[in-house]
Amino acid sequence: MENHPPSADRSSSPEPSSPGPLNHALIEKHDVVGLYVTGRLTPDDSARFEEHYLDCPECIAEIQAAERLQRGLSRAVAQDAARVGLGKMIARALGRPGMAWVAMAALLSVAVGLPTFWMQGRIASLEERLLQAHVDRSIALQPGINTPVIELSPLRGGASSTYSLSLPPTPGWLVFALAPEPMGETYEAILTTAEDRKIWQADGLQPDPAGKIHISFHSSQFEPGIYHLELIAGPAETKAGSTRYRLEILKAAAHP
Amino acid sequence: MSSTVETKASDYRRLVERIQEGDPSAEGELVESFGAGLLMMLRRLTGNPTLADDLRQETLAVVLTKTRNGEVRNPDALAGFIRSTARNLFLADRRKEKRYGELDPVTEHKAAHAEGQLSKLIRDEEVATVRRLLGELRLDRDRELLIRYYLGDDHPRDICRDLDVDPDRFNRVLFRARKRLRELWRKAEKRKHLHTSALFFVGVLFLFGTSATFVSLSR
Ligand SMILES: [Zn+2]
């Protein structure tokens, strides 16, 4: 039996993941434990790894170590970010805002030793995300009107069944109605970019009485480009087949 | 490697046969072998240790009943069967229960690290050990690698490219960090154990001394 490496969210593997049991050499070589704990394994590879570690004390201990490492890092960074806030306050108190990063860098490198520049970028990106979350929340609280419902047909053979869609000029909800072909009680849905980078995934989707699955995405989740949406019938372990849809998201049309 | 896989499959087959033959120790072995892994998987799925433990009990009960009744169609794939049973029970439970809130799969993964699951003491110790580990790393780049890998959502390929690290070294850093961390924790556990033993010893000496004084005074 030849084993193939598991793939990190489909895009990292030079070859597709193949079914089959895992062994420790492969788990170590591809850091399957880390990929699993950080949520970077594909659902198939997660399933393979879970089947392996269910009765493997070594892997369970490795997962625990990875989880503790992740938790410890996350808290250390949070504590340091709080100290960075303190650095800003010190600098502000000194009346020299330009000194803020110097104070922070000193705090971080002396007391913590975390990579300072990465931390700066990370905090900036977290602040940006927080702001975006506030904006998204206020958008989400608006009643939805004229919500477009887009019926998607499955991808068969060539690329002719790509659905092209322009982003709305103002951000809003897009509802996709999908009629998957292998009928299942529940479905797993995976949205990937053209480069096969997974951007969203959900399990336990249930069809309506007409057999259709409805998924709403906020338009702000999309950058213009090609996306693939895959619906897999049945729970992850009893997949009865999947249906793929291809979406082309175009830039928002300019206001008339 | 296939021999290991085959050995596992034949072990599973034998275990299923023994359960079907009514061997009670075989049932205990199944619980012993799969209990910890099941709890780990369910805790990550639910993000709730109590709920995970309930689901583990439920899963083991269902698995044992089905095994006894000969409903395990492929005994070689016993682990897969146990995993499916656990996931199906989780999905069924989530459908009927509100206790999961609005968890999406990404949150599911992260929820396993939710606040309040560990006492503050353990949390502080984890942070201290991680800081010590970071301090032991010689290169800033390795520290950044660990942080970006465990806390960021960058693709490993992007981290390798940005830090100019080849994938082999990348995996080596990750693997060694975890190994070292486990060593540090083991040492911390040992120290704690020694500390507790020392306290106990001092306590016993104190009691002995007090009672000896009491006896001599009462004479
Ligand atoms: Zn293992």
Side-chain angles (χ1 to χ4, degrees), chain A residues 1 8-9 11-12 21 23 28-31 33-40 47 50-55 60-77 79-80 83 112-115 118 122 129 186 197 201-203 206 235-237, chain B residues 1-2 5 8 12 33-34 36-38 40-41 43-44 79-80 82-84 87-88 91 94-95 105 109 112-113 115 118 122-123 125-127 130-131 133-134 140 143-144 146-157 159 171 174-175 177-178 181-182 185:
Chain A
M1 145 111 34
D9 73 17
S11 46
S12 73
N23 60 58
E28 190 179 318
K29 184 171 176 230
H30 296 280
D31 189 38
V33 172
L35 293 173
Y36 178 73
V37 167
T38 58
R40 285 177 169 103
E50 282 169 355
E51 279 180 23
H52 167 88
Y53 82 64
L54 271 188
D55 64 338
I60 294 172
E62 275 295 321
I63 297 170
Q64 280 167 343
E67 285 184 343
R68 294 178 85 176
L69 176 56
Q70 191 181 41
R71 241 179 352 236
L73 278 173
S74 153
R75 295 212 165 92
V77 168
Q79 286 173 358
D80 296 340
R83 272 181 226 174
V112 189
L114 298 181
W118 187 79
R122 178 112 197 119
R129 278 197 220 169
T186 59
R197 180 170 157 74
Q201 181 191 1
D203 213 345
Q206 289 174 317
E237 53 289 331
Chain B
M1 203 59 231
S2 58
V5 172
K8 238 184 175 183
Y12 291 158
S33 307
F34 291 94
L38 259 179
M40 163 73 73
M41 186 184 96
R43 192 178 47 70
R44 293 187 60 81
I82 295 175
R83 178 183 174 272
S84 307
R87 281 189 69 94
N88 288 341
L91 289 174
R94 189 168 64 169
R95 230 169 272 145
H109 271 296
H113 319 294
E115 279 291 331
L118 288 164
I122 297 173
R123 283 202 299 262
E125 206 176 275
E126 273 178 358
V127 176
V130 166
R131 280 187 193 283
L133 173 84
L134 290 171
D140 248 3
R143 276 186 281 271
E144 180 166 353
L146 272 184
I147 294 171
R148 281 183 65 174
Y149 183 67
Y150 277 102
L151 303 186
D153 38 25
D154 300 327
H155 196 282
R157 198 182 37 213
I159 303 176
N171 281 341
L174 294 173
F175 186 74
R178 268 207 312 274
L181 208 60
R182 283 174 68 179
W185 271 312

Side-chain angles (χ1 to χ4, degrees), chain A residues 218-239:
Chain A
H218 199 268
S219 63
S220 60
Q221 280 177 274
F222 291 104
E223 292 288 332
I226 300 287
Y227 294 84
H228 286 113
L229 184 58
E230 189 176 10
L231 275 186
I232 305 161
E237 53 289 331
T238 54
K239 281 170 189 165

